[in-house]
Amino acid sequence: MKNPVSHSSAALVLFSGGQDSATCLAWALDRFDRVETIGFAYGQIHAVEMDARLRVRDAMGAIRPGWTERLGGDHVVDLSGYGAVAESALTADREIEIGESGLPTTFVPGRNLVFLTVASALAWRRGMPVLVGGMCETDYSGYPDCRRETIDAQERALTLGLDTPITIETPLTHLSKAQTWALASALGGDALIHLIREDTHTCYRGDRSHRHDWGYGCGNCPACDLRAKGWQEWQAGRA
Ligand code: ZN
């Protein structure tokens, strides 16, 4: 069992501009005095994600009193070399399907391990002992680098390798998508739900032309399916 997170500390949020990382950013702003964000350009075919990051960040401060003051800088790191090595349906124009390995073609091998390692280097430089990521075990996909066991091992590796305690918080680990909507509502009320619906981006196909109750997206890729299903479950639970 970890120690309770200190309220007088700083956290670096892995922030992609999607629903999960936007919820994590709100979660961090609720708990830490100083919060910075890091994003990665790794050859995503959808620049729409990078646009979403900036819109969501700009609007996040106004959700709760004090959040503007807590929200510090944003850092974008170019990992296009990694993207080229780890080519997947997210970084190349390939069909989204289940590949020979049994994992979807959207799986980017080692992605979270690379992101957390790069984030830890920045966190170390900037004196931020806590990383926050939206990894979730309950996702349909079973990405092996989203498992908390993987994250625990990396937390240990980074703590040893940097010779300083690094904590990796993953507040969504055990939440369903419906519970993630509920968490956002608890953290930021209707204003945060509105922001997530209008400005975050999750769709694998980068579609911003179709508007649904749960936000924008193609409506039939695995990411849209998951987001829509979670929204409907949450709405049904509130009724
Ligand atoms: Zn989609």
Side-chain angles (χ1 to χ4, degrees), residues 201-207 214 216-225:
H201 187 82
T202 309
C203 173
Y204 284 151
R205 294 197 171 94
D207 187 316
W214 43 266
Y216 290 89
C218 72
N220 53 36
C221 76
C224 283
D225 283 348

Side-chain angles (χ1 to χ4, degrees), residues 82 108 110-117 135 145-146 151 154:
Y82 163 70
V108 185
R111 177 168 55 172
N112 286 326
L113 305 179
V114 172
F115 286 3
L116 287 165
T117 301
M135 299 80 176
D145 58 342
C146 288
I151 305 298
Q154 182 146 18

Side-chain angles (χ1 to χ4, degrees), residues 7-27:
H7 279 247
S8 57
S9 57
L12 179 63
V13 178
L14 279 67
F15 183 60
S16 70
Q19 175 185 358
D20 289 349
S21 67
T23 306
C24 286
L25 179 55
W27 182 90

Side-chain angles (χ1 to χ4, degrees), residues 34-55:
R34 180 162 62 96
V35 176
E36 299 187 13
T37 51
I38 186 169
F40 303 100
Y42 59 104
Q44 297 104 314
I45 49 178
H46 310 303
V48 67
E49 270 194 22
M50 298 310 270
D51 295 342
R53 299 180 76 248
L54 297 177
R55 283 199 309 274

